[in-house]
C-alpha cells in the first residue's frame, strides 16, 4: 500500500510490532459499514462512477459474509482490518476497489471505525447493566423486610434490610449507565473526511456520510478528528468505575458466603470445589469479577499513558488504543453477566442475618435518638449516656435490649420502660423512614419504582 516509496519490505520484527490485525479484526463490521457509506457519498458527489460504487458495495457485502461465516483469511502482512478488507475487495472486483480510498486515510478511517465499535459496545453494556439492575430490584423487593447488619469499617453499625443494601447497587449501576450514555453522546461525532490530518480537496459531503452512519455531525477540525482518543479514555473511565462497583459487591459476596459469616448462600451454579478438599465451596465467580477490575482499570491507565505525550496529529502510538479497550469492555460485560447471575442465585440466611444485625449493640443509635426525642437531651449528651449504657451491657455480657431498666436508670434516672420499644432490630429498621432510609416500606417503594422504570425500558 505504500511500497512506491520503499525499495524493500520491513524486517520480520517490524512486521510483528506494526501489525494490528490480531485484534482490530473485531472492527470488521464497522469498517465495512463506513466504507459503504463513503463509497455511496463519493458516487453521489461525482467523485467516483456510480458503477464503481455499486461494485464496491457488492464486494463489501461478500466480504462481510465471508468474515461472518469464518471463510475469510486474515493476513498479518496486510497489517490491519482496513487493508485486509481492501485487498480482498481488489481480488473480488478488480481496479474499482482502488477508488474506495479516495478522499480518506487510514487515520480518519480507524478513528471512525473505533467510534462505531465503541458506540455499539456501550449499547451492549447498557443493556447488561439494565438486566443487573432488574435482578437487584426484584431481589430487593422480595427481601424488603429481611433485616441484616449494616457496616461501617466492616464493624456492625446499625441494622438495615437486605433489600436496602441491594438497592444501593441499583443506584450505582444507574450512575454507571449515565456515565456510559454521556461518553456515547460525546463520541458520536464523525472523523471520516478528515483524511490524513488536513481534510481533502475533493468535494465530499461529510454530512451525508455522518447521517448514513448515524453520527450526530462531522467533526469540525481535521487535526482533532484523527488524533482524538477522548472517546476511548472516557468510555474506559466509565468502565473502570462500573467495574469497581462490581468488585465492591463481589467482595461482599466473598465475605458473606464464608462459613465464618454465613449471611448468604450461592448454589453449585456459581461456586466451584477443590481438587483436594472435598468440603470446599468457593465463590470463584465473585472472586474473578473482583480480579477482572484490574484489567479494566489497567486499560484506562494504559491509554492515558499512551496519549499523555503525543503531539498533533495521528501517531502510531494510537494503535495501542484498541487491544486493551476491546479486552476491558469484554471483561466488564462478562463481569456484569456473572454478577447478574449471582444476584438471581443468592439466598440470604434470614435468621443468621437478623441475629448478626442485633450483635455489637447496633441499636445504640436508636437509644441515643430516643433520649433526644423523649428526654429532650442534646444529642452529644445522649451519645455520652448511651455509650455508658453500652459499656454496662458489655460488662455484664447482655444485649442492649436485655439490660435491666434498673441498670439503665443508674446512668440516666429519667429512662422509662418505653425505651425498650426502640431497641429491637425490627423496630430500628422500621423507624428509618426518612427519604432514602432503610425502613421496609421505603425499600418496597423504591424497589417497585425501579422495577417500573426498568420494565418500561424493555417495552
Amino acid at each position: 500500500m505504500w511500497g512506491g516509496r520503499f525499495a524493500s519490505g520491513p524486517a520480520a520484527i517490524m512486521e510483528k510490532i506494526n501489525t494490528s490485525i490480531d485484534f482490530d479484526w473485531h472492527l470488521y463490521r464497522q469498517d465495512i459499514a463506513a466504507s459503504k457509506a463513503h463509497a455511496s457519498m463519493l458516487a453521489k458527489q461525482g467523485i467516483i462512477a456510480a458503477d464503481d460504487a455499486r461494485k464496491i458495495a457488492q464486494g463489501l457485502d461478500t466480504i462481510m459474509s465471508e468474515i461472518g461465516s469464518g471463510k475469510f483469511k486474515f493476513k498479518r502482512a496486510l497489517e490491519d482490518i482496513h487493508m485486509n478488507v481492501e485487498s480482498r475487495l481488489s481480488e473480488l472486483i478488480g481496479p474499482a476497489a482502488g477508488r474506495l480510498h479516495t478522499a480518506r486515510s487510514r487515520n480518519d478511517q480507524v478513528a471512525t471505525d473505533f467510534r462505531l465499535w465503541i458506540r455499539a459496545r456501550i449499547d451492549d453494556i447498557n443493556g447488561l447493566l439494565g438486566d443487573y439492575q432488574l435482578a437487584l430490584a426484584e431481589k430487593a423487593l422480595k427481601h424488603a423486610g429481611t433485616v441484616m447488619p449494616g457496616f461501617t469499617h466492616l464493624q456492625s453499625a446499625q441494622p438495615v434490610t437486605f433489600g436496602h443494601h441491594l438497592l444501593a447497587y441499583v443506584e450505582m449501576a444507574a450512575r454507571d449507565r449515565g456515565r456510559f450514555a454521556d461518553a456515547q453522546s460525546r463520541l458520536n461525532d464523525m472523523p471520516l473526511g478528515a483524511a490524513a490530518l488536513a481534510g481533502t480537496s475533493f468535494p465530499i459531503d461529510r454530512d451525508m456520510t455522518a447521517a448514513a452512519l448515524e453520527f450526530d455531525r462531522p467533526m469540525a477540525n481535521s487535526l482533532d478528528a484523527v488524533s482524538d482518543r477522548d472517546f476511548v479514555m472516557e468510555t474506559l473511565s466509565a468502565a473502570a468505575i462500573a467495574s469497581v462497583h462490581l468488585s465492591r459487591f463481589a467482595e461482599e459476596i466473598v465475605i458473606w458466603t464464608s462459613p465464618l459469616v454465613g449471611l448468604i448462600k450461592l448454589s453449585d451454579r456459581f461456586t466451584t470445589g477443590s481438587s483436594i478438599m472435598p468440603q470446599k465451596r468457593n465463590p470463584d465467580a465473585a472472586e474473578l469479577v473482583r480480579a477482572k477490575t484490574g484489567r479494566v482499570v489497567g486499560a484506562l491507565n494504559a491509554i492515558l499513558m499512551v496519549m499523555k505525550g503525543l503531539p498533533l496529529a495521528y501517531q502510531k502510538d494510537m494503535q495501542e488504543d484498541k487491544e486493551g479497550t476491546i479486552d476491558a469492555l469484554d471483561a466488564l460485560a462478562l463481569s456484569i453477566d456473572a454478577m447478574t447471575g449471582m444476584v438471581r442465585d443468592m439466598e440470604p440466611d434470614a435468621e443468621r442475618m437478623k441475629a448478626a444485625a442485633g450483635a455489637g449493640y447496633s441499636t445504640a443509635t436508636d437509644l441515643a435518638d430516643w433520649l433526644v426525642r423523649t428526654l429532650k437531651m442534646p444529642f452529644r449528651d445522649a451519645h455520652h449516656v448511651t455509650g455508658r449504657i453500652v459499656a454496662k451491657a458489655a460488662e455484664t455480657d447482655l444485649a442492649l435490649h436485655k439490660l435491666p431498666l434498673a441498670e439503665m436508670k443508674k446512668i440516666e434516672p429519667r429512662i422509662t420502660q418505653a425505651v425498650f420499644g426502640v431497641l429491637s432490630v425490627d423496630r430500628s429498621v422500621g423507624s428509618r423512614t426518612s427519604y432514602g432510609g432503610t425502613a421496609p416500606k421505603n425499600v418496597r417503594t423504591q424497589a417497585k419504582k425501579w422495577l417500573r422504570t426498568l420494565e418500561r425500558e424493555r417495552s
Side-chain angles (χ1 to χ4, degrees), residues 117-118 120-132 176 180 235-236 238-240 242-244 246 270 285 288-289 292-293 295-297 324-342:
W117 186 88
I118 287 182
R121 203 69 179 109
I122 288 175
D123 284 338
D124 295 338
I125 289 170
N126 182 61
L128 290 171
L129 284 169
D131 291 343
Y132 172 57
D176 292 329
F180 278 115
T235 301
L236 285 177
S243 190
V244 166
L246 295 175
F270 288 93
L288 289 167
V289 168
K292 288 184 184 296
T293 301
R295 296 169 72 162
V296 181
V297 174
T325 302
I326 292 167
D327 177 77
L329 296 184
D330 284 350
L332 176 61
L334 179 58
S335 295
I336 299 168
D337 243 351
M339 289 300 294
T340 303
M342 281 186 280

Side-chain angles (χ1 to χ4, degrees), residues 2-295:
W2 33 257
R5 173 66 177 82
F6 291 76
S8 63
I13 191 65
M14 178 60 193
E15 182 176 306
K16 187 174 182 179
I17 197 173
N18 195 47
T19 188
S20 61
I21 190 59
D22 294 343
F23 47 87
D24 70 14
W25 68 267
H26 287 87
L27 277 57
Y28 76 90
R29 290 184 181 86
Q30 291 75 27
D31 191 73
I32 290 171
S35 289
K36 289 177 71 175
H38 185 67
S40 178
M41 179 275 296
L42 292 176
K44 181 177 180 297
Q45 295 298 104
I47 298 170
I48 66 172
D51 187 56
D52 285 342
R54 180 184 56 79
K55 290 177 182 177
I56 288 169
Q58 290 175 344
L60 290 171
D61 286 340
T62 299
I63 293 169
M64 176 76 85
S65 177
E66 289 177 348
I67 297 177
S69 65
K71 295 178 181 178
F72 191 91
K73 302 298 182 185
F74 292 105
K75 299 175 183 177
R76 299 185 86 241
L78 292 173
E79 292 189 14
D80 55 35
I81 185 62
H82 321 300
M83 297 315 301
N84 269 268
V85 169
E86 186 173 323
S87 176
R88 177 59 178 150
L89 186 64
S90 182
E91 292 173 357
L92 290 170
I93 68 171
R99 302 191 185 282
L100 175 59
H101 210 53
T102 306
R104 76 175 185 185
S105 161
R106 283 190 297 170
N107 295 354
D108 61 341
Q109 190 179 356
V110 69
T112 301
D113 292 355
F114 204 26
R115 282 173 185 261
L116 290 170
W117 186 88
I118 287 182
R119 189 177 73 185
R121 203 69 179 109
I122 288 175
D123 284 338
D124 295 338
I125 289 170
N126 182 61
L128 290 171
L129 284 169
D131 291 343
Y132 172 57
Q133 287 180 296
L134 186 63
L136 287 164
E138 288 172 345
K139 188 75 75 171
L141 182 59
K142 182 179 178 181
H143 292 285
T146 301
V147 178
M148 70 172 290
F151 300 98
T152 62
H153 309 280
L154 210 55
Q155 306 295 312
S156 293
Q158 293 177 314
V160 296
T161 67
F162 188 46
H164 191 58
H165 196 109
L166 296 176
L167 287 178
Y169 287 102
V170 177
E171 297 289 339
M172 291 184 209
R175 295 194 295 273
D176 292 329
R177 296 178 73 184
R179 276 182 282 270
F180 278 115
D182 289 345
Q184 192 179 55
S185 68
R186 272 185 287 278
L187 70 77
N188 210 38
D189 291 350
M190 188 192 71
L192 199 60
L197 75 159
T200 178
S201 59
F202 289 98
I204 61 174
D205 184 348
R206 296 185 68 209
D207 289 307
M208 175 184 171
T209 316
L213 295 173
E214 298 183 356
F215 283 106
D216 293 333
R217 63 192 69 83
M219 294 185 75
N221 184 286
S222 60
L223 289 168
D224 183 47
V226 299
S227 64
D228 169 56
R229 292 299 182 272
D230 288 4
F231 67 98
V232 183
M233 293 184 283
E234 189 170 3
T235 301
L236 285 177
S237 178
I241 296 171
S243 190
V244 166
H245 288 159
L246 295 175
S247 184
R248 294 181 69 182
F249 194 12
E251 170 70 1
E252 291 191 317
I253 292 172
V254 171
I255 293 170
W256 291 347
T257 55
S258 167
L260 295 174
V261 179
L263 297 185
I264 67 166
K265 293 179 181 178
L266 290 173
S267 75
D268 295 351
R269 298 175 65 244
F270 288 93
T271 56
T272 64
S274 165
S275 63
I276 188 172
M277 296 170 285
Q279 82 283 6
K280 292 295 291 300
R281 182 189 290 275
N282 300 322
D284 283 1
E287 291 173 2
L288 289 167
V289 168
R290 188 175 59 185
K292 288 184 184 296
T293 301
R295 296 169 72 162

